[in-house]
Amino acid sequence: MTTESLFGDTIEYPTVKPVGPARHRILITVKAAPNPSVSHGETVCVAGVLLGDVGPRGWIRLYPINFRHLPAATEAFTKYDIVSVDCQPAGEARLESWKPNMATLQVEGHLPPWKRRQQLLESIIDDSMCSIRKLASADAKARSLALVRPKEILGFRLEPHPGWSSGEQAKIDAYVNQLELDVFEEAQDKTPLEAPRFKGFYKWRCADPTCTTHEQSIMDWEFVALQRHLWSRSDAEAHAAIRKRFFEEICAAENDVAFYVGNQAKRPQTFSILGV
């Protein structure tokens, strides 16, 4: 599926799995919270907008990335950096997913807030989360990343994080034990990944006339990073500070809010909020 962007480039929503390596130029828009991994200790999903000569061409997911163990030359890239990197198609159904060779990543520049970002992204904003979810439920190869403008943000809630599952904790323990035994990994950070204190959710309504509301979990790196910054605060103080930042400030009525959303490989009908 293709459409024309505001800038003249063709926006590509692939319908078949890419074959072979490619070097991609990307505006980084999403850095999700880290999750346990048996091979990497912890992995982060990074996503962004594929860039053509003058504008956006579609979406891309880079996975897996372990930020703690990146080469020094690449570890500093941030959201809204423009980067180029060599990639291989990932071995999964989602068509936007690529495995990056992080040693080849180069940061070309940074897109400042907010006018230039909005000009670039406006042409690829969707308004129907319902349609995106329906297509993904019917076909695991349907679009798995999007930027959706809510019609109405109805609420924000936090609940205690239950901690890592036994399976997730086993992945962390196995990786840390592997590092302890590897004499060539002396410089690696061996601190086990800690679970955040809270899980967060936005409740919202998209512009689809049949929408019965969405409540989606927040997977944003910054959501977890703020919790770590508030680690010494009481639950009540941390709760208030997180709500103030992620609901009262970011979702204030005067802001033009849109949600970066992405689904899960094993449950393509389940979308989370990867950034705001």
Side-chain angles (χ1 to χ4, degrees):
M1 176 182 174
T2 60
T3 59
E4 286 295 314
S5 79
L6 177 68
F7 296 87
D9 273 351
T10 299
I11 299 174
E12 300 171 350
Y13 298 132
T15 57
V16 295
K17 192 71 175 177
V19 178
R23 187 163 184 86
H24 290 303
R25 187 166 179 261
I26 305 160
L27 171 66
I28 302 295
T29 58
V30 163
K31 184 179 177 183
N35 277 301
S37 165
V38 68
S39 301
H40 306 277
E42 62 190 63
T43 54
V44 171
C45 170
V46 170
V49 178
L50 281 168
L51 296 178
D53 292 335
V54 292
R57 292 197 295 108
W59 295 97
I60 185 170
R61 175 186 292 101
L62 302 177
Y63 182 88
I65 300 174
N66 184 325
F67 272 87
R68 284 206 271 182
H69 297 168
L70 283 182
T74 63
E75 64 184 358
F77 80 93
T78 64
K79 289 199 299 185
Y80 297 104
D81 278 352
I82 296 173
V83 307
S84 58
V85 63
D86 292 343
C87 305
Q88 290 276 355
E92 57 154 286
R94 295 177 298 180
L95 303 182
E96 301 94 340
S97 295
W98 292 76
K99 184 177 181 179
N101 179 352
M102 296 305 294
T104 70
L105 185 140
Q106 294 182 327
V107 178
E108 299 181 7
H110 184 76
L111 201 63
W114 272 99
K115 184 177 180 181
R116 288 185 62 193
R117 296 176 187 175
Q118 184 171 10
Q119 288 174 339
L120 188 70
L121 295 169
E122 185 68 35
S123 62
I124 56 174
I125 293 180
D126 286 279
D127 62 5
S128 176
M129 183 72 243
C130 290
S131 295
I132 293 167
R133 186 176 181 276
K134 185 181 297 183
L135 290 171
S137 298
D139 183 358
K141 294 182 179 180
R143 185 150 54 108
S144 65
L145 292 166
L147 178 60
V148 185
R149 179 179 281 125
K151 182 177 182 180
E152 184 180 13
I153 301 174
L154 302 169
F156 171 85
R157 70 178 178 90
L158 295 171
E159 65 180 42
H161 194 289
W164 302 128
S165 69
S166 57
E168 289 169 330
Q169 189 61 53
K171 292 178 182 180
I172 296 170
D173 294 343
Y175 185 73
V176 171
N177 290 338
Q178 171 199 322
L179 291 181
E180 294 290 350
L181 293 171
D182 194 337
V183 296
F184 298 105
E185 299 288 350
E186 289 298 323
Q188 299 282 28
D189 182 353
K190 302 178 177 67
T191 306
L193 178 65
E194 294 182 354
R197 196 190 316 191
F198 299 108
K199 297 170 68 174
F201 303 84
Y202 283 112
K203 186 174 182 179
W204 58 290
R205 190 187 311 277
C206 73
D208 193 297
T210 65
C211 182
T212 59
T213 74
H214 307 278
E215 186 173 57
Q216 294 170 322
S217 60
I218 304 168
M219 305 298 291
D220 190 348
W221 177 292
E222 294 174 7
F223 175 72
V224 173
L226 177 58
Q227 294 187 52
R228 303 207 186 287
H229 181 70
L230 298 168
W231 204 253
S232 62
R233 305 280 189 92
S234 69
D235 283 356
E237 290 173 323
H239 191 292
I242 295 167
R243 181 180 178 84
K244 179 180 179 182
R245 175 58 183 154
F246 277 85
F247 188 57
E248 296 172 14
E249 294 178 358
I250 291 178
C251 298
E254 64 268 21
N255 290 340
D256 183 9
V257 176
F259 292 134
Y260 292 105
V261 298
N263 69 358
Q264 301 177 15
K266 294 182 178 180
R267 293 191 294 170
Q269 74 281 5
T270 302
F271 281 79
S272 300
I273 291 175
L274 308 177
V276 188

